[in-house]
Amino acid sequence: MKILSAALLASLGVAGSAQAVYVNSDGTGQVLLYPYYTVENGYETYVSVVNTTNVTKAVKVRFLEGMNSQEVLDFNLYLSPHDEWVGKIFETATGAAIMTPDTSCIAGNALPAESAGGQPFVNYQYSTDTINNGPDRAREGYLELIEMGVVTDATLVKAIAHVGPMGARAPFDCPAVRTAAKTGGSLNNGIGIITGPT
């Protein structure tokens, strides 16, 4: 264990001196790593992320299982200025799933409610492994949130913005955001639609 810790510290020291990784003391940044989620033994894991800026952000959300870091779910999340997104990872009969009561725009599809079974984690990336290749392997893992950029297109910024009375605010037009996020959509091809991460 001491050798592993020393090796880890040495590698972090090298990365730190090369400025490859910077850990912000206020907990904000372009990449957020949630190092562990579990639904084993009746536990649930709650996730929260806040856009602390006054610009609209596009964020890649990736869930990876804990045995071999294989992806079990990913989606794009679009956060309006000062928006917060929350989700709950919970156990299912066969593995794990996520649900959210949050209305922030998600592409591919919106996540189903818990009463509808949530969005199950999948085993596509490790289904051919010879041992432990079922969806139950996704009951433990970790989560990555990676800022893809700042949405600058006025139409999409308006679509992502939360409108309505306080307490009932919802994005203006998530279907338009999902269309723009599809292959060939403006979020993938348009210049001036999205800029680099900040």
Side-chain angles (χ1 to χ4, degrees):
M1 192 65 150
K2 288 181 183 177
I3 293 170
L4 178 61
S5 298
L8 180 60
L9 288 173
S11 68
L12 288 175
V14 170
S17 65
Q19 303 269 340
V21 175
Y22 169 74
V23 178
N24 193 340
S25 61
D26 70 5
T28 62
Q30 293 172 291
V31 176
L32 297 175
L33 299 175
Y34 292 79
Y36 185 65
Y37 76 79
T38 184
V39 297
E40 295 283 8
N41 301 316
Y43 283 102
E44 295 175 335
T45 299
Y46 294 84
V47 178
S48 172
V49 62
V50 178
N51 176 4
T52 60
T53 71
N54 62 358
V55 294
T56 302
K57 299 278 187 166
V59 179
K60 171 63 77 181
V61 180
R62 298 179 68 218
F63 296 86
L64 301 109
E65 53 81 29
M67 183 178 190
N68 199 22
S69 297
Q70 297 299 312
E71 188 176 286
V72 294
L73 181 68
D74 79 292
F75 52 84
N76 296 343
L77 172 65
Y78 298 90
L79 297 171
S80 59
H82 306 287
D83 189 6
E84 178 181 15
W85 179 83
V86 296
K88 177 177 85 169
I89 306 167
F90 61 97
E91 185 176 15
T92 65
T94 58
I98 185 167
M99 62 78 58
T100 181
D102 201 292
T103 59
S104 295
C105 294
I106 291 174
N109 297 315
L111 299 178
E114 184 174 5
S115 60
Q119 175 61 55
F121 290 172
V122 295
N123 64 337
Y124 302 152
Q125 290 195 351
Y126 60 87
S127 62
T128 58
D129 287 4
T130 54
I131 313 172
N132 194 8
N133 61 6
D136 59 324
R137 181 165 140 183
R139 288 185 173 146
E140 290 183 304
Y142 63 98
L143 169 62
E144 300 173 340
L145 287 97
I146 304 163
E147 181 188 352
M148 297 185 296
V150 175
V151 179
T152 56
D153 176 73
T155 302
L156 287 173
V157 167
K158 180 181 177 183
I160 295 165
H162 289 255
V163 294
M166 196 58 95
R169 291 181 181 252
F172 183 71
D173 191 1
C174 284
V177 176
R178 284 192 276 278
T179 297
K182 288 182 180 178
T183 302
S186 62
L187 277 166
N188 293 313
N189 298 331
I191 295 172
I193 304 292
I194 188 167
T195 63
T198 58

